[in-house]
Amino acid sequence: MAMFCGNCGASLNDNAKFCTSCGQAQEALTQSEAPRVRAKGNGAYVAWFLYYFILISVATVGIAIPFYVVTVILAFTPLAERLWRWASGVRPLRLKSEKDRLLPLFKEVYTGAFEANSTLSKGIRLYIKEDMTINAFAFGKSTLVLTRGALELLNDDCLKGLIAHEFGHFSYRHTEALLLATVSNFYVSFIISKLTDLKNRLDLETRNKDGIVTAFFKGIIDIAYYLWKATDFIGELIIMHRSRQNEYLADQFAIMSGFNKELNDVLLEIYGVSISKPQSVKEQLKNTHPHITLRIERLEQALYQ
């Protein structure tokens, strides 16, 4: 009987007390005994949001905080989600052939997902993006998207695997945490751009000027600029690492929902048609997804152990 780590999704031996991958203490977690799922894997996003909140408060002397709070609140409204779908070219199912094929699949996976997590929202809806790459993604509180490429190139079982994985992100509330971080990044990027403009202007104006006051002021701006840039870079690496771990968690949820083979099959299908060049260390660190073969390995361990 398959057992999986509740923290990172790694396959474990039966009755394992600790995960051999991440060291997390374990409770029994099996496909046939799926627990009610709580939000998981979002600590880094929340911590980064709070960190940015403090930085923005200090940088703007509190002036930007009301706008920041209002933006966060608005970002979680159905209207904002609808605007995002419109801006991203995401549409509802319109054609009879789309509805006849996809709605039964969606309902089947939704049922399995709800059995794995009874707290899962009942308002999630399926949408299509006119993109010929094979992909699926979740956004906000209720938007699950399949690309047209996935519809055209994958069979029904593979589509179930994609959908089950995305339900995992909803179940663990990864989409909401990511939305929170996105709003924070928007404000911080704006402040960094203004700080960069100020630094460049000071560099230009003080190029031929001497004086203790000028040098001190310029030094303070330089320190603030490079410290902020360094912190932002480190934070990005932490968020990307957490994002990769969340992909394992979403895979784990697909297993708990009963769609391990379907997800494994679709990942094998994607791997078979994908062509990618070797990545640098920096590119690997900034990836939002682990290498697909690592995900397949974990799924196959659960399937065939």
Side-chain angles (χ1 to χ4, degrees):
M1 189 161 50
M3 181 173 174
F4 310 94
C5 174
N7 182 58
C8 71
S11 180
L12 304 175
N13 295 326
D14 291 347
N15 302 318
K17 294 183 178 180
F18 295 92
C19 175
T20 55
S21 178
C22 69
Q24 177 72 28
Q26 299 297 306
E27 296 178 357
L29 181 62
T30 68
Q31 183 169 338
S32 60
E33 298 173 310
R36 297 300 177 249
V37 175
R38 60 183 176 81
K40 189 181 297 184
N42 301 322
Y45 294 96
V46 175
W48 205 237
F49 168 78
L50 294 175
Y51 174 69
Y52 276 170
F53 184 87
I54 294 171
L55 282 182
I56 292 170
S57 300
V58 173
T60 65
V61 200
I63 296 175
I65 293 305
F67 301 98
Y68 189 37
V69 172
V70 169
T71 304
V72 170
I73 294 173
L74 291 177
F76 284 89
T77 63
L79 176 60
E81 198 160 331
R82 185 179 301 177
L83 289 173
W84 176 87
R85 290 196 296 265
W86 172 77
S88 302
V90 171
R91 65 171 178 83
L93 277 61
R94 292 177 182 143
L95 307 182
K96 183 178 183 300
S97 58
E98 294 171 347
K99 295 177 182 178
D100 289 345
R101 181 190 180 194
L102 295 177
L103 290 181
L105 303 181
F106 187 70
K107 182 178 179 180
E108 179 184 346
V109 180
Y110 212 150
T111 300
F114 196 76
E115 289 176 356
N117 178 20
S118 60
T119 64
L120 185 67
S121 169
K122 295 182 179 180
I124 300 170
R125 297 292 180 266
L126 185 61
Y127 297 86
I128 294 174
K129 182 176 177 63
E130 297 292 344
D131 184 339
M132 288 309 294
T133 58
I134 299 175
N135 197 13
F137 53 92
F139 179 82
K141 293 183 176 181
S142 63
T143 302
L144 196 158
V145 182
L146 292 175
T147 61
R148 188 157 160 258
L151 305 186
E152 297 292 339
L153 300 174
L154 298 177
N155 62 36
D156 289 358
D157 282 344
C158 285
L159 291 179
K160 291 178 189 177
L162 285 180
I163 294 170
H165 172 87
E166 298 308 324
F167 271 123
H169 287 308
F170 283 118
S171 190
Y172 290 120
R173 305 185 74 173
H174 296 160
T175 53
E176 295 175 52
L178 181 60
L179 187 58
L180 191 66
T182 300
V183 173
S184 300
N185 287 339
F186 169 78
Y187 274 91
V188 170
S189 296
F190 176 78
I191 292 176
I192 286 180
S193 69
K194 295 303 178 184
L195 192 59
T196 302
D197 291 343
L198 177 60
K199 177 184 179 301
N200 292 337
R201 189 162 59 249
L202 282 173
D203 287 343
L204 183 63
E205 292 178 356
T206 61
R207 182 173 299 172
N208 298 317
K209 293 182 179 180
D210 297 321
I212 296 177
V213 175
T214 300
F216 177 78
F217 188 64
K218 181 177 179 300
I220 292 295
I221 294 297
D222 286 347
I223 291 172
Y225 174 78
Y226 288 113
L227 183 61
W228 200 323
K229 291 285 286 186
T231 305
D232 190 60
F233 176 74
I234 294 171
E236 183 182 8
L237 294 183
I238 294 173
I239 292 297
M240 292 304 100
H241 171 74
R242 187 63 256 175
S243 176
R244 293 191 293 272
Q245 296 305 308
N246 285 353
E247 292 303 311
Y248 292 129
L249 285 175
D251 287 349
Q252 173 202 7
F253 186 81
I255 296 172
M256 293 161 53
S257 302
F259 295 94
N260 188 350
K261 185 178 186 305
E262 290 83 353
L263 180 57
N264 188 69
D265 286 348
V266 72
L267 293 183
L268 284 170
E269 191 77 20
I270 294 171
Y271 180 60
V273 299
S274 62
I275 301 175
S276 58
K277 63 179 182 179
Q279 292 184 319
S280 66
V281 173
K282 182 179 179 181
E283 288 173 331
Q284 293 179 48
L285 290 173
K286 289 194 171 185
N287 271 343
T288 59
H289 287 60
H291 195 276
I292 194 168
T293 55
L294 294 173
R295 296 173 61 192
I296 293 171
E297 179 184 27
R298 296 190 180 199
L299 291 168
E300 289 183 340
Q301 286 175 353
L303 273 173
Y304 303 120
Q305 72 172 9

